[in-house]
Amino acid sequence: MIKFISAGLLVIGVSFLVGCDTTETTMGHGQIQTANGKGSQSVQLKITQDIFDNSGAQAMVTLGNGEVFNGKIIIEREHMESTTDSFDYFSWDSDDDKKKKEKHYPETTNTNSTSYSSQARGVLFSTSRSMQCLMTLSDPRSGFSSGGVGRCTISTGEVVPVQF
């Protein structure tokens, strides 16, 4: 009976996950700046991120002339490992017949953590050019969905400030 209930719950859980879309799409926009700082053509930005993966996302930038750049944008993160020593050195006489002394030595605890930066970087490619992007996220824990600003540079020198 328990096996049937467990199997049923498993089927329901898998069905729920299969039916759910785990991606989140964030839209943005910008304009290519000319050498004198004026906007020359509009830019549309689409960032698609898996909600279970806060490390990066797929990005697509479409220029006003129809040129499309695709690539991955990675959220910078720092992996930190720390070691903590607990100095609980002491001794006491045990209650057994031999009255031996027991000693306790320092304990070492390792802690690993990952912190996400507000910076994200990526390289996107079209059929003939590339684009390097540096973005600043409003809330790195939420990924791209909380918005942010960025600056992309096309390999031919044009600068593209974006907002998402």
Side-chain angles (χ1 to χ4, degrees), residues 48-116:
T48 305
Q49 180 178 14
D50 187 318
I51 61 173
F52 296 116
D53 179 12
N54 280 351
S55 64
Q58 292 297 320
M60 181 172 71
V61 174
T62 305
L63 305 185
N65 65 6
E67 185 176 10
V68 178
F69 292 81
N70 287 295
K72 187 162 184 161
I73 298 189
I74 306 294
I75 299 172
E76 294 178 2
R77 57 187 170 167
E78 183 177 308
H79 178 75
M80 298 172 14
E81 185 173 325
S82 63
T83 302
T84 306
D85 291 326
S86 169
F87 295 100
D88 291 334
Y89 177 78
F90 58 92
S91 65
W92 75 85
D93 290 334
S94 65
D95 292 334
D96 65 4
D97 294 335
K98 296 180 184 175
K99 295 286 183 189
K100 67 179 182 179
K101 285 201 170 209
E102 294 184 19
K103 294 183 179 179
H104 293 263
Y105 297 96
E107 291 183 19
T108 300
T109 305
N110 290 327
T111 306
N112 293 317
S113 66
T114 301
S115 64
Y116 292 94

